[in-house]
Amino acid sequence: MGCGLCADLCPYGAVRMEDRRPHISAEECKSCGLCVSSCPRCALDLMACSRATVRKGVWRAAVSSGRPRCLIFACDRCGREELARALRSAGLRNARLVRVPCTARVDPLEVAEALASGVDVVVVVGCEPGGCEHGDAYLHAEVRLRLVRSALEVVGLKDVLFYMRSTSSSAPAVMSKIMEIAGERERPK
């Protein structure tokens, strides 16, 4: 399509357009994923967090055995390791964690795909302001997620998308909130 949105949004200037095609500089790219999640044609992908990898996480969450089925996107710098350990020790069979390099990589289409696939709740855990190694890339994610949440509220799906900020030190409080959101409940008979 050659819209150039990826080049306009890249916080590192790693994407340049030539003949209406994006060219990415491997030296300048820091793999935040903003270009991938912003591309209206899904023409770009990120090796470290590919669309196929995210789809696999969505599928695992959609077929998990407990309810509500919960998909958690967590960036590398927000206490993701602590969250993963806490999820394992809590034994939540209904929660699946997908690693993203930055919340900027979370594509609204993937959130919609998760909900359409049977996931009941999507949680996005990102950095505190000023704590993102990708600068202001997380701001794009916040704006997009607010818009998605507003659209979901319009159609009556108020409590299916949550966005939380975290650090390694605040991971226990975030995990407590995730436990509250994703705590397994009895299925209606």
Side-chain angles (χ1 to χ4, degrees), residues 66-108:
R67 283 292 176 112
R69 292 181 179 130
C70 182
L71 176 66
I72 304 163
F73 290 101
C75 81
D76 287 338
R77 305 282 290 188
C78 68
R80 181 184 51 82
E81 290 298 323
E82 292 83 355
L83 290 173
R85 277 193 293 278
L87 277 173
R88 280 191 299 274
S89 68
L92 284 180
R93 298 171 304 160
N94 61 319
R96 297 291 183 261
L97 191 130
V98 173
R99 178 201 154 269
V100 291
C102 178
T103 53
R105 170 59 187 86
V106 178
D107 188 333

Side-chain angles (χ1 to χ4, degrees), residues 1-6 17-22 39-41 43:
M1 177 166 122
C3 70
L5 185 60
C6 51
M17 299 299 289
E18 290 179 10
D19 297 325
R20 296 178 45 101
R21 297 183 65 114
C39 183
R41 296 287 185 155

Side-chain angles (χ1 to χ4, degrees), residues 38-74:
S38 300
C39 183
R41 296 287 185 155
C42 300
L44 300 171
D45 211 350
L46 187 61
M47 197 178 310
C49 183
S50 69
R51 291 184 186 280
T53 301
V54 172
R55 245 182 249 114
K56 192 182 296 183
V58 167
W59 178 81
R60 286 183 175 148
V63 299
S64 62
S65 59
R67 283 292 176 112
R69 292 181 179 130
C70 182
L71 176 66
I72 304 163
F73 290 101

